[in-house]
Amino acid sequence: VGERLRLAEIRATALTVDEVLEAVAGPRAGGLAVFVGTVRDHDGSRPVRQLAYSAHPSAERVLHQVADRALSDPQVLAGAVLHRVGPLQVGDVAIVAAVACAHRVDAFAVCRRLVDDVKSQVPIWKHQVFADGTEEWVGAAT
Amino acid sequence: VGERLRLAEIRATALTVDEVLEAVAGPRAGGLAVFVGTVRDHDGSRPVRQLAYSAHPSAERVLHQVADRALSDPQVLAGAVLHRVGPLQVGDVAIVAAVACAHRVDAFAVCRRLVDDVKSQVPIWKHQVFADGTEEWVGAAT
Amino acid sequence: MSAGVVLRYWAAAKAAAGVAEESFTAGTLAELVDAAGARHGPSLPAVLARCSYLVDEVPVGTRAWASVWLPDGAVVEALPPFAGG
Amino acid sequence: MSAGVVLRYWAAAKAAAGVAEESFTAGTLAELVDAAGARHGPSLPAVLARCSYLVDEVPVGTRAWASVWLPDGAVVEALPPFAGG
């Protein structure tokens, strides 16, 4: 893990915000932006009953590369990101990302970019089962 | 507290991120942006030894008004903000703000606006004691 | 037309004035700020110049200080720039 | 010049193909995608069209599939659009 990137893991067990906060805490950090992505009970108008994430074997390695790049901004003091795989219920935490900087404007900007980059570049897929029993791989148009 | 604004307090005791996360949790929330402002060990280049916040008696009432306005964005599902007053040590949490929306881009945008508005509109002052013993009221140019 | 008013100082203003509040006779907010600055010497005027003011808990906002008439017995509060979070 | 290759399907591609991986004979990635689509009928072609590909763990990226020559014994992986977080 780079010295800025304190924690970057893909995990099949529950994620906590606390472990991410501890990973990026530090005396020089003034502003800490955190993003917590949770399973929603609907996708657009369709109620979701259950959701599962699956990951390619390279996912954690790619997550490290993506996070290192996003955190390469000189304003960044520390960053961390966790992503959950496996079956999740509504309200479960799917992703937690945190970025600490001296100032909040940088913390918000880098945290947003980190989450956007993880979503677009890390080989993770989302399978949703709707309340009416139909199901869908998000983004795969089937 | 408005139905979007779940928690808005000014407090002399330690703030926790957990209570803010719990206050804004909900089945419809997909993205939750959180800001944690902590006492830095430096201000610009000057090392800070100790810091204290003081508040005008109207501060909590103003905080409610400011938070209600910032959360009036229709995308917002829930929001919460806590601000600490009294003496703080380096690393202590001075402010925690959280905003939950269906989508992360809204959560980040509204959370940033909430923190900016609290800083500019809520009558709270910051007094810093530097490592060399000198002290300063932030922003008062004395 | 002057009024007996109380000026309450907060944060940096209180530090510069060396007192939490005190009485003045002044007709407008501008006169009050000048009087307080004169009474407490070098550093207070600079702070008062950067303050926002409440008159009986109502924010003065962007109104010109010379046009803010003070009622008798008014409580005026000097709030230095905010620095929360 | 055709090669014996293995095509591994992920997520929606695996669901549409009904199998995790299988062998093909194809000279380029374009030929391989066509062959796999033909073998597994209606829904797989649409998914494969939206996939990104790895050849022996190296991302194909934006190279044109018809210009991606497959070495003999290559393992090609079909990755549907990512949807993390």
Side-chain angles (χ1 to χ4, degrees):
Chain A
V1 174
E3 33 72 21
R4 282 206 185 93
L5 177 60
R6 301 287 172 74
L7 180 62
E9 283 175 23
I10 300 217
R11 241 201 251 144
T13 52
L15 310 183
T16 69
V17 176
D18 280 343
E19 62 186 311
V20 166
L21 293 180
E22 274 144 37
V24 297
R28 289 187 302 133
L32 169 59
V34 183
F35 178 73
V36 183
T38 49
V39 176
R40 285 202 309 274
D41 63 359
H42 65 284
D43 179 6
S45 59
R46 301 183 63 189
V48 172
R49 193 173 61 212
Q50 220 246 343
L51 180 144
Y53 284 99
S54 55
H56 186 269
S58 66
E60 190 161 87
R61 176 170 53 77
V62 174
L63 180 66
H64 269 259
Q65 291 162 352
V66 166
D68 272 333
R69 253 198 316 275
L71 299 176
S72 58
D73 183 313
Q75 293 302 325
V76 173
L77 296 168
V81 55
L82 296 176
H83 201 296
R84 177 86 181 277
V85 289
L88 279 81
Q89 298 307 321
V90 169
D92 280 356
V93 175
I95 183 171
V96 184
V99 174
C101 297
H103 302 292
R104 68 179 182 285
V105 61
D106 306 311
F108 274 117
V110 175
C111 188
R112 255 192 69 165
R113 197 165 49 232
L114 173 59
V115 176
D116 290 347
D117 291 355
V118 168
K119 278 176 177 275
S120 60
Q121 297 169 35
V122 178
I124 291 176
W125 299 285
K126 182 155 80 171
H127 182 257
Q128 285 183 139
V129 179
F130 296 102
D132 61 13
T134 57
E135 49 182 90
E136 173 202 60
W137 286 95
V138 173
T142 65
Chain B
V1 174
E3 35 71 23
R4 283 209 185 92
L5 177 58
R6 302 285 172 73
L7 180 63
E9 284 175 23
I10 301 223
R11 239 200 252 144
T13 54
L15 310 184
T16 69
V17 176
D18 279 342
E19 62 185 310
V20 165
L21 293 179
E22 273 144 39
V24 298
R28 290 188 302 131
L32 169 59
V34 182
F35 178 72
V36 183
T38 50
V39 175
R40 283 202 310 274
D41 63 359
H42 63 284
D43 179 7
S45 59
R46 302 184 62 187
V48 172
R49 193 174 59 212
Q50 221 245 343
L51 180 143
Y53 284 100
S54 55
H56 186 269
S58 64
E60 190 161 86
R61 176 170 53 75
V62 174
L63 179 66
H64 269 258
Q65 292 162 354
V66 166
D68 273 333
R69 253 198 316 277
L71 299 177
S72 59
D73 182 315
Q75 292 303 324
V76 173
L77 297 168
V81 55
L82 298 175
H83 200 296
R84 177 84 180 277
V85 288
L88 279 80
Q89 297 307 320
V90 169
D92 280 355
V93 176
I95 183 172
V96 184
V99 174
C101 297
H103 302 291
R104 69 178 183 286
V105 61
D106 308 310
F108 275 118
V110 176
C111 188
R112 256 192 69 165
R113 196 164 52 232
L114 172 58
V115 176
D116 290 347
D117 291 354
V118 167
K119 278 178 177 272
S120 59
Q121 299 170 34
V122 178
I124 291 176
W125 299 285
K126 182 154 81 171
H127 182 258
Q128 284 183 141
V129 179
F130 295 101
D132 61 14
T134 57
E135 50 182 273
E136 174 201 59
W137 287 94
V138 173
T142 66
Chain C
M1 205 282 291
S2 287
V5 299
V6 168
L7 176 56
R8 187 171 297 157
Y9 304 100
W10 290 97
K14 186 162 83 174
V19 63
E21 64 179 53
E22 55 185 351
S23 301
F24 288 90
T25 305
T28 69
L29 180 55
E31 286 167 24
L32 175 60
V33 169
D34 290 344
R39 186 180 292 178
H40 290 296
S43 66
L44 185 56
V47 178
L48 292 182
R50 297 167 61 83
C51 283
S52 57
Y53 291 85
L54 306 178
V55 177
D56 294 329
E57 302 194 4
V58 174
V60 165
T62 54
R63 280 176 291 156
W65 295 350
S67 69
V68 177
W69 293 92
L70 301 177
D72 203 35
V75 175
V76 179
E77 300 183 66
L79 281 60
F82 306 151
Chain D
M1 202 284 292
S2 287
V5 299
V6 168
L7 176 56
R8 188 171 296 156
Y9 303 100
W10 291 98
K14 185 161 84 172
V19 63
E21 63 179 51
E22 55 185 351
S23 301
F24 288 90
T25 306
T28 68
L29 179 57
E31 287 167 23
L32 176 60
V33 169
D34 289 344
R39 187 180 292 180
H40 290 294
S43 66
L44 184 57
V47 179
L48 293 181
R50 295 167 60 84
C51 283
S52 57
Y53 291 85
L54 305 178
V55 176
D56 293 331
E57 302 194 5
V58 175
V60 166
T62 55
R63 280 176 290 156
W65 295 350
S67 70
V68 177
W69 293 94
L70 302 177
D72 203 33
V75 175
V76 180
E77 299 180 75
L79 282 60
F82 307 151

